[in-house]
Amino acid sequence: MTDEFDAAGYSSHDIGFGRRAAMLVVDFQRALTEGEFALGRSPSVRDAVERSGPLLDRARALGVPVLHTAVAFDGPADLGRWKMPELGKITPGSAGAEIDPKVWHPTDELVIKKAPSAFFGTPVASILRYWDVDTVVVLGCMTSGCIRASIVDAFSHGLRTIVVGECCGDQQQEAHRANLADVGRRYADVIGVDEAVAGLEAIAGA
């Protein structure tokens, strides 16, 4: 069925994988993935973490670099105007700032951020340039917040942006689905785990 976005010419083509990819894992940190934390009780996020572990293992085996982000704050001025006071409890070096062990490997890169986007005020863009990548494969949480912001900035940096929808999670499924649909119309390819593996394998084979 054609909707108004289709009729206006949105989502007219796929972005596709380029010549070299990196995995960009946004905020799969314990404060957002483990139920002992107030922000970490979403079944959607926990399911996304479980699906992400094997995908990241395959990516590493193919030589694809993995970059994680996490949020952590050094007090109220550092937290700024976030409307989520629980974030203020995540301090650098705390348990909540640690990347979930289901998706972390010692060879991975970690960048601490303060804003929704993985790129804002961080060296993420510089790291990706150093790795000489033209494609980022995005996974993490929350789909309607930091994932969406990171997708928009990846696109704005001229990167081919691939989003593994099954490996993203949010507090609310409606928000998750709506945001994936919207970024898929405008900025990125939203694909499944099997398609992501196939794309990474094709790059490795080339």
Side-chain angles (χ1 to χ4, degrees), residues 50-132:
E50 294 292 341
R51 288 187 284 266
S52 296
L55 172 60
L56 291 169
D57 285 342
R58 182 60 182 148
R60 294 183 192 105
L62 292 167
V64 178
V66 178
L67 192 160
H68 297 264
T69 67
V71 293
F73 303 95
D74 283 307
D78 201 29
L79 179 65
R81 303 193 187 281
W82 282 94
K83 298 178 74 173
M84 302 152 62
E86 287 293 322
L87 288 179
K89 299 177 182 179
I90 308 171
T91 57
S94 67
E98 295 175 2
I99 301 300
D100 192 299
K102 295 183 179 68
V103 295
W104 174 253
H105 189 274
T107 60
D108 296 349
E109 194 77 29
L110 172 62
V111 171
I112 298 298
K113 66 184 180 71
K114 312 294 181 177
S117 170
F119 292 85
F120 187 87
T122 76
V124 165
S126 296
I127 292 168
L128 295 174
R129 283 195 295 272
Y130 175 76
W131 285 341
D132 192 28

Side-chain angles (χ1 to χ4, degrees), residues 40-53:
R41 297 169 187 162
S42 165
S44 167
V45 173
R46 290 198 294 274
D47 288 347
V49 169
E50 294 292 341
R51 288 187 284 266
S52 296

Side-chain angles (χ1 to χ4, degrees), residues 29 35 37 41 76 88 108 125 132 141 148-150 153 176 200-201:
Q29 59 193 94
F37 300 95
R41 297 169 187 162
D108 296 349
D132 192 28
C141 64
R148 184 185 180 106
S150 300
D153 276 1
H176 169 74
L200 295 172
E201 290 177 342

Side-chain angles (χ1 to χ4, degrees), residues 20-24 64-67 128 131 133 135-138 200:
R20 180 166 168 77
M23 311 298 288
L24 179 58
V64 178
V66 178
L67 192 160
L128 295 174
W131 285 341
V133 304
T135 304
V136 286
V137 181
V138 181
L200 295 172

